[in-house]
Amino acid sequence: MSRSPIYREAQVKLRDFIKSRGLGPGDRLPAEAVLAAELGVSRLSLREATRSLQTLGVIEAQHGNGLFVSSFSFRPLIEQLPYGLAVPGMALEEILTAREAMEVGLMPAVARGAGSEELAECARLAGQMAELEAAGKEITAVDRAFHLTLYKGLQNPLVDNLIELFWEIFVRLGDAIPAPVEGGRAAVHLRIVEALQSGEPLDAIQRMQEHFNDVRTRAAMLRDG
């Protein structure tokens, strides 16, 4: 049975070290020589392990100041997307299904926990979408801001990261999805906000589902065209 490369063993030991010491985002790691001795690995193996963990976003190097534990982020995964999405058409459908399940499923929680400020900002963004649509301009950036803002009131970093991840992937894969000639995407978003402001989770679920039904219909036009 072949053994893992030595640097991979060093990587596992370093992860275990961070966990066992209870280190969190922003905590500094010991100097290289000290850390290598602590883990029982060579400094060369440790160097390779730390480089790979930097790529994965587990730790970060601050020039002239050493190594630190990173904050959780999907950014390293996002940066690898061009290599992981070999079948764009299939990937778009998969991402749409996952995003739909998450956002529709979150509506009851948002109806319970969204603050009036977040919903007011979402209403403003929906109004901005309407202005852009009327002018025949692109609304993707505002649409994205709407969805990211919608869940801020939950104060759930995991949800925030997942929504951002889904959006990043979706924009990369779905930027060619045709917009409806008659517009109307702003109105769909505004109806979501109004349902949430009324505190009716079932209405909010229905409105968000309508939004994804529209996206799915337009995505099918891209696939079948």
Side-chain angles (χ1 to χ4, degrees):
M1 181 181 297
S2 61
R3 295 185 59 189
S4 298
I6 295 175
Y7 86 91
R8 292 293 298 274
E9 295 179 17
Q11 189 182 94
V12 172
K13 288 183 177 181
L14 182 50
R15 284 178 180 271
D16 289 344
F17 176 85
I18 293 171
K19 183 178 179 181
S20 66
R21 296 299 177 91
L23 301 179
D27 289 338
R28 184 175 183 173
L29 295 173
E32 183 182 86
V34 175
L35 189 55
E38 177 76 25
L39 300 180
V41 300
S42 70
R43 294 177 68 170
L44 177 60
S45 296
L46 178 62
R47 222 167 279 147
E48 293 178 352
T50 55
R51 278 198 292 265
S52 64
L53 290 179
Q54 286 179 64
T55 301
L56 294 171
V58 176
I59 60 177
E60 61 179 326
Q62 295 183 11
H63 184 66
N65 203 23
L67 295 171
F68 294 79
V69 179
S70 295
S71 299
F72 174 76
S73 173
F74 281 110
R75 178 56 50 184
L77 174 60
I78 291 172
E79 291 174 351
Q80 298 301 317
L81 288 178
Y83 305 99
L85 299 172
V87 188
M90 180 68 71
L92 177 59
E93 178 65 23
E94 291 169 354
I95 292 300
L96 179 57
T97 297
R99 208 188 124 199
E100 177 183 12
M102 182 174 182
E103 296 207 47
V104 172
L106 281 171
M107 285 301 95
V110 178
R112 291 192 305 268
S116 57
E117 291 184 6
E118 287 85 6
L119 293 180
E121 175 62 9
C122 284
R124 186 192 71 78
L125 290 168
Q128 188 176 351
M129 282 187 222
E131 293 174 1
L132 292 171
E133 281 188 315
K137 296 182 179 179
E138 176 60 53
I139 71 166
T140 299
V142 182
D143 192 354
R144 176 178 182 150
F146 176 96
H147 286 267
L148 292 174
T149 302
L150 191 59
Y151 305 101
K152 291 298 182 185
L154 298 180
Q155 298 183 344
N156 187 322
L158 178 58
V159 168
D160 293 341
N161 271 281
L162 286 170
I163 293 296
E164 185 174 9
L165 172 66
F166 283 142
W167 254 98
E168 184 78 24
I169 299 173
F170 194 74
V171 167
R172 292 193 186 193
L173 295 174
D175 59 358
I177 291 178
V181 176
E182 71 281 5
R185 284 187 288 171
V188 171
H189 287 75
L190 185 57
R191 285 196 291 271
I192 294 170
V193 177
E194 291 171 345
L196 290 168
Q197 288 174 327
S198 71
E200 295 292 339
L202 293 180
D203 286 350
I205 289 172
Q206 181 178 347
R207 299 310 180 194
M208 184 61 81
Q209 187 65 66
E210 289 172 356
H211 170 43
F212 278 98
N213 289 344
D214 169 65
V215 177
R216 191 175 293 282
T217 298
R218 290 185 288 112
M221 293 168 58
L222 174 63
R223 183 185 65 239
D224 300 336

